Amino acid sequence: MNSPGKHTAPRAQHTTEGSSAGLHSEVFEPDSPAALPPVFLIHGFASSIELNWVKSGWIKALTTAGRRVISVDLPGHGRSQSPVDLDSYTPGKIRADLLQILIDEGVRPLNPADPHSGVDIIGYSMGSRLAWEFSATQPELVRRVVLGEPSPNDPLADFDLRAAQDFLNDGTPITDESTSWLLNMAQLIPSNDIFALLALIQAIKMEPFDPTDAAPRMPVLFVAGELDDRAQSIGPAGGAGARSTKSHHSGAQSQQHRDGPRLQGRRDRVPGLKALRHASSRHLMPL
């Protein structure tokens, strides 16, 4: 794969509790390193390092800015393996595997005396859920978080598995619009293992996402497109008082709200939470 950024040596196999997770990871080194921690990229459903981060220009932009970038293909995606056991697809197991990758890549706990310590995380769509939960449970490692197209209501949790399986088996039409959209998106990429992605959805249903269970305590930025129906509830995720910025690529004025952020259903505030909406954008990760 010819990707922007300077690669390190081939990645060693990552193991969690003595067994390999079969996840493909890549590291991109900058030509002129900045005195900042690495950036960890977590892609969305049915995507990959190549699709989500390389072709979109994120790798090039980050390495040009002096950032070391760590990225991973999630189970059943990209160049990672498709495990046969359902447990390998659960969000909890995936987060444990992501932690092992960061440890193997030399990420150290945050230390005020070491500007390279810790890690900044960017998660997109499904990766936003993983980034939210990972940051909430690993505060000693994570410095800042950016969540692209986040939603407190995981669309994969409402995915109609039976309808998708019937469609794949005999072409029975899918009546649920969200299920049809997600399955079509997954099928657009010939290399995707559809049945592994369905196993991932089944595993996600076993661990429903509740952003109020634990909240990150570091600065968090929400980024969403104004026309993305899946991110219209970005307010409840960050609380009705979450600070938001409406970003217009045409240079129009932005609008900010100064009220402190609050998570719906709990009184804890998320320090430094901000929300950014891109005008005229749908479910995408604009650079």
Side-chain angles (χ1 to χ4, degrees), residues 166-177:
D166 288 345
F167 174 79
L168 293 172
N169 288 335
D170 57 24
T172 301
I174 300 174
T175 58
D176 180 67
E177 183 178 347

Side-chain angles (χ1 to χ4, degrees), residues 16 21 23 40 42-43 45 72-77 80-81 83 85-102 126-127 129-131 133-134 137 156 196 199-201 203-204 207:
T16 304
L23 297 184
F40 188 38
I42 309 176
H43 66 72
F45 175 72
V72 61
D73 284 333
L74 296 174
H77 293 73
S80 287
Q81 295 178 10
D85 61 305
L86 193 61
D87 288 344
S88 294
Y89 295 95
T90 61
K93 176 59 166 61
I94 292 174
R95 293 196 306 272
D97 294 334
L98 298 183
L99 175 60
Q100 188 61 56
I101 287 174
L102 291 181
M126 180 181 71
R129 172 201 171 152
L130 295 170
E133 294 173 326
F134 186 92
T137 56
L156 294 179
L200 171 67
I201 294 173
I204 285 176
E207 294 184 9

Side-chain angles (χ1 to χ4, degrees), residues 28 30 39-41 53 57-69 122 287:
F28 302 84
V39 178
F40 188 38
L41 304 178
W53 308 119
W58 278 93
I59 299 292
K60 182 178 180 180
L62 289 167
T63 54
T64 299
R67 306 301 293 271
R68 180 176 187 248
V69 178
I122 301 177
L287 182 60

